[in-house]
Amino acid sequence: MPATPAWPPRSTPRLYIDGEIAPGSTIALDPAQARYLVAVMRRGEGDPVRLFDDRTGEYLARIARADARKGSVVVEQRLAPREDVPDLWLCASPIQRDNFALVAEKACELGVRRFVPVAMRRSVVRKVNPERLQRRMVEAAEQCGRTALPELAETRDLAALLDAWPQGRTLFFADELGGVPAPRAFAAAPGPAALLVGPEGGFDDAEREAIRALPSARPVALGPRILRAETAAIAATALWMATCGDWHAETQA
């Protein structure tokens, strides 16, 4: 007997809806979403679409109006509740805008719960565009199947971040002067965590001293090579997910 194909198909487009979704409702798509479905994905009336709202989960819908300017979909059923992602924050210095948007995008794909831009003394970039970062994370979530968007925090300076650091959350910071190899450090301190990655020029001495003075701070090393800021952020996140997060083999059993 032939296997029953999965429904909806894995190739079904996914869209983020900024508002709570409910079965039976009709949702008007914005022009960019409608154009994506009709002109890019070549979908028409009656074709399935996956929707998620970062509130209640993921839903199956069908295209009710295939118009590249004023499309709409009708929601049929909920497919899954909103996921519970690992409790990891990524705190990173703003860098050149395309590279920082890349970090936000990959943070979403890798499963980060909260993304925190942190201004430091050697940060060349002092301001970020939150709309741009949010857009990149939404696009990443649509692509990777995520149903819970990372929380995008307001930019904070390092001193303020450390002053308000919550008890019970380990702060692993990528120290270019060295530290415990990251996988070993992560395994030794499971639980709520955050990664702190500095700017292109690294932490200065006063910042490093302030970070090390935090009881929950742990310096970590990310291998034998000097990594670019964006590479360090992505690599550290992947290592944590493989050691403590939902990449870990025990969580997949």
Side-chain angles (χ1 to χ4, degrees):
M1 178 181 294
T4 302
W7 184 259
R10 292 178 61 88
S11 59
T12 301
R14 297 182 80 245
L15 293 176
Y16 167 64
I17 301 300
D18 187 11
E20 190 167 315
I21 301 171
S25 60
T26 298
I27 297 175
L29 303 176
D30 66 38
Q33 292 173 325
R35 186 167 55 253
Y36 168 73
L37 288 181
V38 176
V40 178
M41 299 302 293
R42 303 294 183 184
R43 297 305 200 263
E45 292 181 8
D47 285 340
V49 183
R50 290 176 181 263
L51 309 176
F52 67 100
D53 59 6
D54 192 32
R55 293 171 173 81
T56 61
E58 183 172 31
Y59 295 79
L60 173 65
R62 289 188 184 273
I63 299 175
R65 180 177 179 180
D67 186 311
R69 294 172 296 178
K70 295 183 179 180
S72 63
V73 298
V74 175
V75 182
E76 293 189 342
Q77 66 185 81
R78 189 168 81 156
L79 298 173
R82 184 181 186 272
E83 67 186 299
D84 184 20
V85 296
D87 193 0
L88 178 67
W89 299 358
L90 177 57
C91 306
S93 168
I95 52 177
Q96 191 269 343
R97 71 171 194 166
D98 289 337
N99 291 350
F100 200 54
L102 176 69
V103 172
E105 173 187 294
K106 300 311 174 188
C108 179
E109 290 182 36
L110 293 169
V112 165
R113 181 175 291 190
R114 191 168 189 248
F115 185 58
V116 187
V118 184
M120 305 178 197
R121 288 189 178 90
R122 293 175 177 167
S123 297
V124 176
V125 176
R126 308 301 300 184
K127 295 182 180 180
V128 301
N129 183 332
E131 290 78 17
R132 176 184 175 83
L133 297 179
Q134 185 72 23
R135 183 169 60 251
R136 287 289 287 268
M137 291 195 295
V138 166
E139 292 170 354
E142 290 175 340
Q143 179 274 325
C144 74
R146 191 169 164 164
T147 59
L149 291 173
E151 176 191 350
L152 177 59
E154 293 183 359
T155 302
R156 308 190 71 181
D157 62 47
L158 180 60
L161 181 80
L162 298 178
D163 285 345
W165 196 255
Q167 291 185 352
R169 182 174 298 277
T170 304
L171 177 62
F172 298 105
F173 74 102
D175 190 351
E176 64 270 24
L177 297 186
V180 177
R184 193 197 322 163
F186 297 158
L195 303 171
L196 178 62
V197 179
E200 292 91 335
F203 303 105
D204 72 9
D205 292 341
E207 288 175 331
R208 187 175 289 105
E209 182 178 347
I211 297 166
R212 287 178 177 268
L214 190 72
S216 58
R218 304 287 186 275
V220 299
L222 298 175
R225 287 167 288 279
I226 299 173
L227 304 180
R228 292 173 62 102
E230 64 270 26
T231 308
I234 295 168
T237 302
L239 284 171
W240 190 91
M241 287 293 171
T243 306
C244 301
D246 56 10
W247 289 16
H248 195 277
E250 292 180 358
T251 68
Q252 300 299 319

